[in-house]
Amino acid sequence: MNRIVSISGKLKYIGLLGLPMFFSDAPIWKYLWLFWLFAFVEIFASLSIFVQSLQQLIAIPYIYLSHGFRLPDQNNYQPAIRYSLPFSGEWTAVNGGPDKETSHSWSILTQRYAYDFLILDDSGQSCSGDKTLLPNYYCYGREVLAPADGVVVEAIDKYPDSRTYGNGSVDHAAKDIRGNYIVIRHAAKEYSLMAHLLPHSIKVQAGRQVKRGEPIAQCGNSGNTTEPHIHFQIQDGQSFLASAGLPISFEGIETKPAENYAKFDPRPVYEQKERDTSTIQRGSCVGNMESSM
């Protein structure tokens, strides 16, 4: 299926050759324009993900309106909680940061301040051996920890791991962007979300109180993901679609540049401002200080 979708995704661009149909009646241009129909193969192959993505786009005006066009940011938001990292040991932030340049998804408001974490070795690799085998990824199966005290409000564990192809493509069979996930309420308007969790690894249910550093699941590859990692974000409501993402203030963490990060990700890495350890940005190797847990 992925191969068919990949081929269809390339064929649709042949439709660009049909643009002269707006200026000429020659049939050839109309036939070429029909190649855009291959785009529907992509849509129907990932219909659930497409619908969720569309819902996220539709929710953008609502989020702006509900916040009076003044979304939370580093300058105007005072966090109720300072968070620990949702894992033990050293991991690397490969997506995310406190500003537009480093943001996970600046235009997707719920995920504006989200992070993706995985484990890289000293050579900048996230796995050893065959990249199509999930157990070869260093973070696969590692424990996911509660980032602060709170109450679980959602714990969904019904999706299989998605396949990984080792080339940056996603498994179009995924049914939910998040895959298996947990949402914890930490304060009146602060909720954490941890996604892409290992099937059958979630240890908590809705209504359960958890403590900072408590094991709650394991890292997997469920959902819309190219390889195993933890997606972590803080939002001001329970809804994944209609909440505003919140800038995350960390405490008790250590951060340093990840070695050979450019071999994993060619995007630019920005220097950490004044060695601020309350925030994290892409390209940082991070971990909790033992005393903070």
Side-chain angles (χ1 to χ4, degrees), residues 32-49:
L32 288 171
W33 185 255
L34 288 175
F35 273 85
W36 283 116
L37 293 175
F38 280 102
F40 287 99
V41 175
E42 291 182 287
I43 291 172
F44 287 113
S46 307
L47 187 59
S48 298
I49 301 298

Side-chain angles (χ1 to χ4, degrees), residues 68-251:
F69 292 90
R70 190 170 183 266
L71 298 181
D73 62 27
Q74 289 281 80
N75 298 318
N76 66 29
Y77 185 72
Q78 185 63 40
I81 304 291
R82 298 190 70 186
Y83 294 89
S84 301
L85 295 162
F87 47 77
S88 59
E90 292 187 340
W91 294 50
T92 298
V94 296
N95 281 309
D99 49 38
K100 187 174 182 178
E101 288 71 26
T102 58
S103 173
H104 178 287
S105 305
W106 188 259
S107 299
I108 305 300
L109 304 182
T110 309
Q111 301 181 58
R112 174 166 285 188
Y113 299 106
Y115 289 95
D116 289 334
F117 294 106
L118 49 72
I119 297 175
L120 295 180
D121 59 25
D122 292 342
S123 61
Q125 300 298 311
S126 59
C127 76
S128 176
D130 188 344
K131 292 184 177 182
T132 66
L133 300 178
L134 292 173
N136 288 346
Y137 287 83
Y138 301 126
C139 67
Y140 187 74
R142 296 286 292 270
E143 282 188 329
V144 176
L145 311 178
D149 296 353
V151 177
V152 176
V153 293
E154 286 187 72
I156 302 300
D157 190 353
K158 63 180 181 180
Y159 299 107
D161 273 326
S162 298
R163 293 181 62 185
T164 185
Y165 298 91
N167 59 5
S169 62
V170 298
D171 185 351
H172 293 282
K175 301 299 183 184
D176 190 287
I177 291 173
R178 300 157 292 186
N180 303 312
Y181 67 93
I182 295 172
V183 179
I184 303 173
R185 183 177 66 246
H186 302 284
K189 290 188 176 182
E190 287 195 15
Y191 295 73
S192 65
L193 166 70
M194 284 142 288
H196 309 312
L197 305 177
L198 185 71
H200 313 304
S201 74
I202 294 180
K203 305 175 186 293
V204 295
Q205 297 178 335
R208 162 81 180 274
Q209 292 191 350
V210 293
K211 295 293 185 182
R212 183 187 300 266
E214 178 181 343
I216 55 176
Q218 292 171 266
C219 176
N221 196 54
S222 58
N224 192 49
T225 169
T226 59
E227 65 177 89
H229 69 280
I230 297 173
H231 176 97
F232 175 58
Q233 67 185 53
I234 305 296
Q235 55 200 47
D236 67 0
Q238 184 174 335
S239 172
F240 175 65
L241 301 173
S243 303
L246 300 174
I248 307 174
S249 181
F250 293 95
E251 69 174 359

